[in-house]
């Protein structure tokens, strides 16, 4: 096995592990590496949809998306498709997946099927580092505080993207989570807000909430907390959604990345209620 760190903050590219092998022994290695590096990347893994599902199930029960329809034969898989001439893609801008759910996603397994010659890398950011590097005054202000996370409604996930299809649910809903959560497996503290879904801190004025959230968003998106993965076809990313942010970059410009499809298969594993 070979492990190459891809930034100083998080992320490792792993060679010598076969993702078709869904034995507990293999999964245990993957899980330990994921807990250590937060996001793992594997290249040349031509896994089938069933093999992707088998691997995902080792992490726990699978999660269905609130708004997006899965593949007809594999409803647990969302095909994230960007049309050749679309500038935008699903998952653009920093977020933690479904932080608006009572139990936000534990782990995501994303597999590339079609990749533009350039553009559409995925970025990740380490929210344990983001918490650790807050100043003492901000840590004190956040003690015991909770925030509302909104699901935004179906339009944000479906209507905006030509190739994404809804499952019929349109209603917006929200849930409240602690701003600082503990990782359920390592106990590490995590800054658990994101600029896509976190809307308001409870029990303080709107002005103070905006002031704190804007500071936190700016802080957590610092480039020195991040890593960036340039996709190739049949690559797989496995990330710990509990302690990271991510975004699919939309650097599709005429004469460069625009004019090419991007197709990814995503499976989500259910998480715990943040505490
Ligand atoms: C996502 O936000 O889950 C998708 C990210 C990507 O396609 O790069």
């Amino acid at each position: 096995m070979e492990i190459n760190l891809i930034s100083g903050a998080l992320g490792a590219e792993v060679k010598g592990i076969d993702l078709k092998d869904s034995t507990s022994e293999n999964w245990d290695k993957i899980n330990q590496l994921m807990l250590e590096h937060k996001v793992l990347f594997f290249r040349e893994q031509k896994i089938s949809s069933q093999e992707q599902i088998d691997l995902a199930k080792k992490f726990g029960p699978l999660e269905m998306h609130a708004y997006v329809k899965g593949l007809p034969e594999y409803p647990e898989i969302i095909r994230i498709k960007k049309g050749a001439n679309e500038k935008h893609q699903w998952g653009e801008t920093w977020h933690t997946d479904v932080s608006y759910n009572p139990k936000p996603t534990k782990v995501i397994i994303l597999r590339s099927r079609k990749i533009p010659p350039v553009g559409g890398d995925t970025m990740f950011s380490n929210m344990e580092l983001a918490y650790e590097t807050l100043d003492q005054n901000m840590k004190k202000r956040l003690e015991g505080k909770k925030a509302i996370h909104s699901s935004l409604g179906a339009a944000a996930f479906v209507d905006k993207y030509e190739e994404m299809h809804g499952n019929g649910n349109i209603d917006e809903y929200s849930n409240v989570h602690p701003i600082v959560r503990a990782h359920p497996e390592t106990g590490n503290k995590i800054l658990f807000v994101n600029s896509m879904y976190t809307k308001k801190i409870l029990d303080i004025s709107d002005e103070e909430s905006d002031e704190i959230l804007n500071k936190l968003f700016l802080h957590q998106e610092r480039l020195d907390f991040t890593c960036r993965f340039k996709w190739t076809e049949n690559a797989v990313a496995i990330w710990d959604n509990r302690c990271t942010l991510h975004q699919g970059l939309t650097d599709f410009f005429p004469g460069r990345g625009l004019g090419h499809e991007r197709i990814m298969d995503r499976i989500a594993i259910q998480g715990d209620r943040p505490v």
Side-chain angles (χ1 to χ4, degrees):
M1 186 161 72
E2 190 183 316
I3 295 160
N4 295 306
L5 306 191
I6 69 161
S7 88
L10 80 166
E13 190 165 332
V14 181
K15 288 183 186 154
I17 284 188
D18 181 2
L19 298 183
K20 286 185 176 165
D21 173 359
S22 58
T23 57
S24 296
E25 205 185 348
N26 199 41
W27 173 78
D28 208 42
K29 268 193 269 178
I30 297 169
N31 191 47
Q32 285 310 318
L33 286 171
M34 184 196 72
L35 291 175
E36 186 178 345
H37 299 291
K38 299 184 172 49
V39 53
L40 304 177
F41 306 103
F42 304 83
R43 295 198 192 268
E44 287 164 41
Q45 300 273 347
K46 227 175 175 174
I47 54 172
S48 65
S49 296
Q50 189 56 54
E51 285 161 345
Q52 190 177 352
I53 290 173
D54 292 343
L55 176 64
K57 281 186 173 163
K58 302 299 284 186
F59 287 93
L62 305 188
E63 174 188 86
M64 302 300 280
H65 196 271
Y67 300 111
V68 179
K69 198 155 120 188
L71 294 177
E73 333 75 86
Y74 300 103
E76 307 91 333
I77 298 182
I78 291 179
R79 183 148 289 171
I80 304 175
K81 193 165 170 190
K82 183 196 86 72
N85 289 307
E86 275 188 276
K87 161 71 178 140
H88 292 280
Q89 71 173 345
W90 208 80
E92 56 192 319
T93 82
W94 288 114
H95 63 286
T96 294
D97 276 353
V98 304
S99 69
Y100 47 81
N101 274 355
K103 295 178 175 180
T105 312
K106 174 183 180 183
V107 167
I108 296 281
I109 303 184
L110 189 66
R111 179 219 199 280
S112 56
R113 289 201 171 266
K114 198 160 182 199
I115 293 297
V118 68
D121 297 354
T122 305
M123 291 193 70
F124 297 85
S125 187
N126 179 340
M127 289 305 104
E128 290 177 7
L129 274 182
Y131 176 74
E132 271 166 47
T133 51
L134 286 172
D135 64 45
Q136 287 310 319
N137 178 43
M138 182 57 93
K139 283 185 178 166
K140 204 122 204 80
R141 288 179 86 184
L142 298 181
E143 263 173 32
K145 289 280 185 289
K146 294 185 172 182
I148 301 174
H149 295 240
S150 160
S151 72
L152 309 178
F157 297 90
V158 180
D159 299 2
K160 214 177 150 188
Y161 306 103
E162 285 162 23
E163 306 286 344
M164 301 301 290
H165 305 292
N167 60 12
N169 181 27
I170 52 167
D171 295 335
E172 181 175 349
Y173 59 94
S174 55
N175 277 286
V176 168
H177 296 304
I179 293 182
V180 180
R181 71 178 288 190
H183 193 290
E185 289 176 79
T186 64
N188 294 341
K189 285 188 171 180
I190 297 162
L191 180 60
F192 194 66
V193 293
N194 65 88
S195 56
M196 196 182 275
Y197 304 127
T198 313
K199 297 300 167 196
K200 164 87 175 81
I201 301 177
L202 296 186
D203 302 328
I204 57 175
S205 68
D206 286 358
E207 290 71 26
E208 192 180 357
S209 168
D210 286 349
E211 181 236 340
I212 295 179
L213 284 178
N214 288 335
K215 278 190 181 143
L216 294 180
F217 297 154
L218 209 61
H219 174 74
Q220 71 182 167
E221 295 171 8
R222 265 172 50 177
L223 290 179
D224 57 334
F225 301 153
T226 69
C227 72
R228 174 170 176 158
F229 185 61
K230 179 163 180 49
W231 291 94
T232 41
E233 281 171 11
N234 304 315
V236 175
I238 300 179
W239 70 85
D240 190 336
N241 186 63
R242 298 164 291 192
C243 56
T244 55
L245 301 181
H246 63 278
Q247 66 168 308
L249 292 177
T250 56
D251 53 343
F252 305 113
F253 295 101
R256 292 175 69 87
L258 198 63
H260 305 273
E261 278 187 327
R262 181 179 185 272
I263 303 177
M264 316 289 279
D265 280 354
R266 169 194 181 275
I267 300 185
I269 295 101
Q270 280 174 26
D272 301 310
R273 190 176 290 278
V275 284

